[in-house]
Amino acid sequence: PALSQNSLLNICVYPEQDDIIIRSLESFALEQGDLAVTFVSGTTVNALTTVSPVNQKTISISTVLISAFFLNPSPVTAAGMVVLTFGDTDGARQLSVIESGARDGRQMQAAPEDGTGTFDVEATL
């Protein structure tokens, strides 16, 4: 169903792999043509937006659809970036198969650095 002015836009974000969790939400914005409104930037979340606790496999983002998006009721794109990390492994090493260059199919431990992922979804007004 189409969304209306001042209604909540709810978005669920989750990684495609089971052993990955979302460490943080780095950015979240709504865009419609030339109009772009940032609702989350770094650790700053505006008053119209709530983000479920991070360090989970799934987070939810809820924000109020402000009136500016209804001046030209065309689809709105919600987009953002999350920081991803390996989930709780109980001290076990995270192994990755070496595809090229290894004759014996050895495995190596994945680097401990976090990665990032982006998401976007289109909503009809």
Side-chain angles (χ1 to χ4, degrees), residues 28-44:
F28 176 71
L30 296 180
E31 300 172 358
Q32 181 189 58
D34 293 336
L35 175 62
V37 179
T38 300
F39 291 89
V40 176
S41 180
T43 58
T44 304

Side-chain angles (χ1 to χ4, degrees), residues 31-121:
E31 300 172 358
Q32 181 189 58
D34 293 336
L35 175 62
V37 179
T38 300
F39 291 89
V40 176
S41 180
T43 58
T44 304
V45 179
N46 83 1
L48 300 175
T49 306
T50 58
V51 179
S52 68
V54 290
N55 287 322
Q56 305 289 324
K57 289 184 184 267
T58 303
I59 63 168
S60 64
I61 306 163
S62 295
T63 194
V64 175
L65 288 169
I66 59 176
S67 60
F69 291 109
F70 292 87
L71 297 175
N72 174 16
S74 59
V76 172
T77 299
M81 183 173 68
V82 292
V83 174
L84 304 169
T85 190
F86 282 110
D88 182 16
T89 58
D90 298 325
R93 295 187 320 158
Q94 294 295 315
L95 301 176
S96 299
V97 175
I98 301 172
E99 293 295 332
S100 61
R103 289 177 278 169
D104 59 359
R106 290 179 297 163
Q107 295 183 333
M108 62 181 275
Q109 185 166 353
E113 294 95 22
D114 294 338
T116 58
T118 58
F119 63 91
D120 62 85
V121 64

